[in-house]
């Protein structure tokens, strides 16, 4: 009974504290990626899916890149087994501080480090297919997570989870949940042209590139400069008690282009990670945090 209660508490905490984009958002980043990868990458992915049964997660399937993108959230239901991975989804740092890629990442237990780690595992063809498939799911999911601003920047409020928020006229949410869910969903469905498509060379040049540390720094800056000010109607006070936020229709309209761009960036950057992992040649060098 004690073990069951502990597992339940762990699962509930993880579910509250570290979801990124929500299932629709993650699946969209995966579909953007798949529309922009090279043919050999598609072949490599299809071969890995054949090892899905060996993951031992029959309730959480990985038969496609879209399913892989949500698998790390799905396995939260078994906190007793996967609880050690919950800290891998984020790397929040106070918006009043400069972003430090080494902070809140002891032993590599943070989102930026785990993108790099799982990318290297995925690229290593000497490893068993099920090990590489697990790495694929983690890498794709975490590359989505790190593009959600509140996975990198917060105001000592658990990435906005402690900020009660109203979305338009709908109360009863929190700031993190709004950016995870309704805001991302509206950005995706309203995007013109659609986000899931083949992007031009010019678009990829504008949106893609960089590495996990760069992406985390971008998200931290967006949380600092836009997310909190947009939601509160004023610049946040570092360390203040979480005030209630109200996203007016004007605030929602201002936030939508940012959410849309971050989702597109995540998808195209996932495509680059995948193409790199399935490219012939030596293993990619892992990204190193600056000293």
């Amino acid at each position: 009974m004690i073990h069951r209660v502990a597992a339940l508490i762990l699962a509930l905490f993880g579910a509250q504290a570290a979801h990124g984009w929500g299932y629709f958002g993650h699946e969209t980043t995966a579909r953007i990626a798949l529309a922009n990868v090279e043919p050999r990458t598609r072949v490599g992915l299809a071969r890995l899916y054949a090892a899905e049964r060996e993951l031992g997660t029959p309730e959480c399937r990985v038969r496609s890149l879209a399913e892989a993108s949500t698998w790390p959230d799905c396995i939260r239901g078994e906190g007793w087994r996967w609880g050690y991975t919950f800290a891998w989804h984020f790397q929040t740092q106070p918006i009043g501080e400069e972003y430090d890629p080494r902070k809140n990442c002891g032993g590599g237990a943070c989102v930026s480090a785990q993108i790099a780690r799982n990318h290297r595992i995925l690229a290593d063809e000497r490893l068993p297919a099920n090990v590489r498939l697990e790495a694929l799911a983690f890498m794709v999911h975490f590359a989505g997570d790190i593009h959600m601003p509140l996975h990198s920047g917060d105001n000592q409020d658990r990435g906005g989870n402690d900020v009660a928020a109203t979305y338009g006229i709908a109360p009863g949410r929190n700031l993190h949940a709004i950016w995870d869910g309704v805001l991302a969903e509206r950005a995706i469905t309203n995007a013109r042209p659609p986000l899931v498509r083949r992007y031009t060379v010019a678009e990829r040049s504008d949106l893609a590139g960089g590495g996990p540390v760069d992406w985390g720094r971008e998200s931290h800056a967006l949380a600092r400069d836009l997310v909190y000010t947009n939601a509160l109607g004023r610049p946040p006070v570092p360390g203040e008690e979480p005030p209630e936020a109200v996203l007016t229709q004007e605030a929602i309209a201002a936030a939508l282009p940012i959410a849309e761009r971050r989702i597109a960036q995540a998808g195209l950057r996932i495509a680059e990670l995948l193409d790199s992992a399935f490219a012939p040649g030596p293993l990619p060098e892992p990204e190193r945090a600056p000293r």
Side-chain angles (χ1 to χ4, degrees):
M1 179 62 71
I2 291 174
H3 290 304
R4 289 181 181 177
V5 172
L8 178 60
I9 291 171
L10 189 57
L12 288 173
F13 177 79
Q16 289 177 344
H19 281 195
W21 291 134
Y23 274 47
F24 187 37
H26 277 296
E27 288 173 352
T28 301
T29 63
R31 292 187 175 111
I32 293 169
L34 196 61
N36 289 277
V37 295
E38 298 178 4
R40 70 163 181 264
T41 300
R42 287 176 172 265
V43 173
L45 289 169
R47 288 174 178 165
L48 286 188
Y49 301 145
E52 188 232 7
R53 288 174 62 99
E54 297 172 46
L55 293 177
T57 57
E59 302 300 320
C60 301
R61 307 297 302 273
V62 186
R63 298 163 294 185
S64 67
L65 197 62
E67 288 188 341
S69 74
T70 61
W71 181 83
D73 276 347
C74 181
I75 60 173
R76 290 172 180 275
E78 294 187 331
W80 61 271
R81 180 180 176 190
W82 298 102
Y84 68 94
T85 71
F86 292 175
W88 296 359
H89 292 249
F90 58 93
Q91 191 177 3
T92 49
Q93 299 177 31
I95 53 176
E97 301 176 2
E98 291 296 318
Y99 179 78
D100 182 350
R102 295 168 296 181
K103 189 173 182 180
N104 295 338
C105 196
C110 72
V111 66
S112 63
Q114 288 301 319
I115 294 170
R117 171 180 171 271
N118 284 287
H119 177 246
R120 186 171 177 82
I121 293 171
L122 175 62
D124 193 341
E125 295 183 354
R126 299 169 300 179
L127 297 175
N130 64 301
V131 173
R132 296 177 66 215
L133 181 60
E134 179 181 303
L136 167 72
F138 279 131
M139 184 196 77
V140 171
H141 182 88
F142 296 150
D145 277 346
I146 202 170
H147 282 81
M148 206 282 253
L150 293 171
H151 276 248
S152 292
D154 75 355
N155 197 25
Q156 299 177 350
D157 50 25
R158 298 190 312 128
N161 275 283
D162 294 336
V163 180
T166 296
Y167 180 81
I169 61 172
R173 291 181 167 91
N174 67 64
L175 187 58
H176 193 112
I178 286 173
W179 274 83
D180 270 356
V182 289
L183 188 66
E185 291 162 9
R186 185 167 170 182
I188 294 165
T189 56
N190 287 2
R192 296 294 181 273
L195 291 182
V196 180
R197 58 187 165 83
R198 183 78 179 179
Y199 285 71
T200 67
V201 173
E203 287 173 322
R204 293 179 71 132
S205 177
D206 174 48
L207 295 167
V213 168
D214 304 306
W215 310 337
R217 184 176 288 110
E218 290 169 355
S219 283
H220 184 267
L222 284 171
R224 179 192 66 214
D225 298 337
L226 176 111
V227 174
Y228 283 95
T229 300
N230 174 270
L232 300 177
R234 60 170 174 79
V237 176
E240 68 180 332
E241 285 294 316
E244 185 169 356
V246 177
L247 276 80
T248 63
Q249 291 302 325
E250 292 77 14
I252 293 168
L256 284 172
I258 305 302
E260 179 181 327
R261 180 177 177 86
R262 291 306 277 169
I263 291 166
Q265 286 180 313
L268 292 175
R269 288 162 170 176
I270 290 168
E272 291 182 332
L273 288 170
L274 291 170
D275 283 341
S276 172
F278 285 100
L283 291 175
E285 285 295 322
E287 180 178 282
R288 299 182 186 277
R291 294 184 179 276

